[in-house]
Amino acid sequence: MANNIHPTAIIGPEVVLGDGNDIGPYTVIYGPTDIGNGNLIGPHVTIGTPGQDTRNPRYDSSQCRIRIGNDNIIREYTAIQKPCYRDITEIKNRVHLMQGVHVPHDAVIHDDVVITPLVALGGISVLLPGVNIALGCTVHQYSVLGHYAIAGMGAAVIKNIPPFGKYVPGKPIGVNHYAIDKFGFETEREEIVAYLTSQQRPVSPRLLTIVEEFERLSAASKRDVYR
C-alpha cells in the first residue's frame, strides 16, 4: 500500500515511512524519524525539530531520533520534537493527537492515548496506555500519567496521576469509570476504586502489573503523586 503525501509536504532524507500513511499539506518531517503504517498526519504538522531545552538550546540534534508507530492520528499544527537526554521521543500505536498539541523532547506516549486540542506537555514526560488529557491542559516536566488516567479540562498537572485516576484541580483523585468500561476492566472495578480511594494494593495480576509499572516510573521521575 502506497503512502499519500501532499506535494507541499517536506519529508527529510532520513525519514523512514511504512505503508498507508496520509501526510497533509505543508507538513515538515525531519529525520532521523521512523514512521510505521496507517498514520494520518494532518496539515502544518512539524515533526523532528530539536527539543526546546533552555540548558542547551542549540544542541546537535542531527542524530536524535523520533519513532512513531502505527494507526496514529496527528492533527494540524501539532509539533513533535527530538530528544535531548534520552535515546528517543516516541509515539506508539493508535494515539490520537488533536489540533495544536505540543509533544516535547524525550516524551514517550504509549498506546491508545488521546490528547485533545491545545495541550502542552513538558519534557521527559511519560503517558502510559489509555491516558486521556482534556482541552488546554499543561503537564509538568518529568510527569508520569498512569494507565487509563484522565486530566480534566484546563488542568495544570504538576504531580503524577495514578492508573485509572481522574484528576480535577482542587479535588481528591477520582475514578475514571469511562476508561474502566472502555478498556474492559469491569470485573476489576472494585479493586480499582479501592486502590484510588484508600490506597489498597490490587491483587488481580493484570492490575498489579499496571500498578507496579506506574510505581517504578513514578519513583524514577522523583515527582509526587496525586491522591
Side-chain angles (χ1 to χ4, degrees):
M1 183 186 299
N3 295 299
N4 180 23
I5 302 172
H6 193 275
T8 61
I10 299 173
I11 311 297
E14 294 184 86
V15 176
V16 178
L17 290 170
D19 296 323
N21 298 291
D22 194 326
I23 300 174
Y26 303 104
T27 279
V28 178
I29 306 176
Y30 296 94
T33 294
D34 301 317
I35 298 176
N37 305 318
N39 296 286
L40 173 61
I41 301 174
H44 296 280
V45 171
T46 304
I47 299 172
T49 49
Q52 298 176 116
D53 179 51
T54 57
R55 285 177 284 188
N56 190 9
R58 300 191 183 190
Y59 74 101
D60 179 7
S61 68
S62 59
Q63 299 305 308
C64 297
R65 184 170 296 276
I66 291 174
R67 182 186 300 134
I68 297 172
N70 304 316
D71 301 316
N72 301 292
I73 297 174
I74 302 170
R75 290 295 302 268
E76 56 272 15
Y77 303 106
T78 287
I80 302 169
Q81 297 178 345
K82 288 182 173 181
C84 299
Y85 302 106
R86 298 178 178 174
D87 293 336
I88 202 162
T89 299
E90 184 171 15
I91 295 170
K92 293 187 181 280
N93 305 301
R94 301 179 303 279
V95 171
H96 192 168
L97 305 179
M98 298 186 188
Q99 176 236 326
V101 172
H102 171 68
V103 178
H105 63 85
D106 304 283
V108 178
I109 300 177
H110 286 253
D111 294 351
D112 302 307
V113 167
V114 175
I115 305 180
T116 61
L118 306 178
V119 168
L121 305 177
I124 321 179
S125 49
V126 177
L127 279 57
L128 289 163
V131 162
N132 191 316
I133 305 181
L135 289 160
C137 286
T138 53
V139 177
H140 198 284
Q141 294 95 327
Y142 295 95
S143 293
V144 178
L145 276 62
H147 313 64
Y148 313 111
I150 186 169
M153 187 168 58
V157 179
I158 60 172
K159 298 180 182 181
N160 297 338
I161 304 177
F164 296 97
K166 179 170 69 175
Y167 172 62
V168 176
K171 296 183 178 181
I173 205 76
V175 180
N176 187 6
H177 288 284
Y178 173 78
I180 291 173
D181 296 332
K182 178 179 179 180
F183 292 101
F185 286 88
E186 295 92 340
T187 58
E188 292 100 338
R189 189 184 307 273
E190 290 186 8
E191 280 189 79
I192 293 168
V193 172
Y195 164 70
L196 290 169
T197 59
S198 56
Q199 287 77 62
Q200 292 184 34
R201 199 165 187 78
V203 295
S204 301
R206 69 170 176 165
L207 284 187
L208 194 56
T209 298
I210 285 171
V211 168
E212 288 176 345
E213 181 179 18
F214 170 75
E215 289 175 343
R216 175 176 55 82
L217 292 170
S218 185
S221 77
K222 300 181 180 179
R223 303 202 62 76
D224 291 333
V225 178
Y226 287 113
R227 298 297 185 189

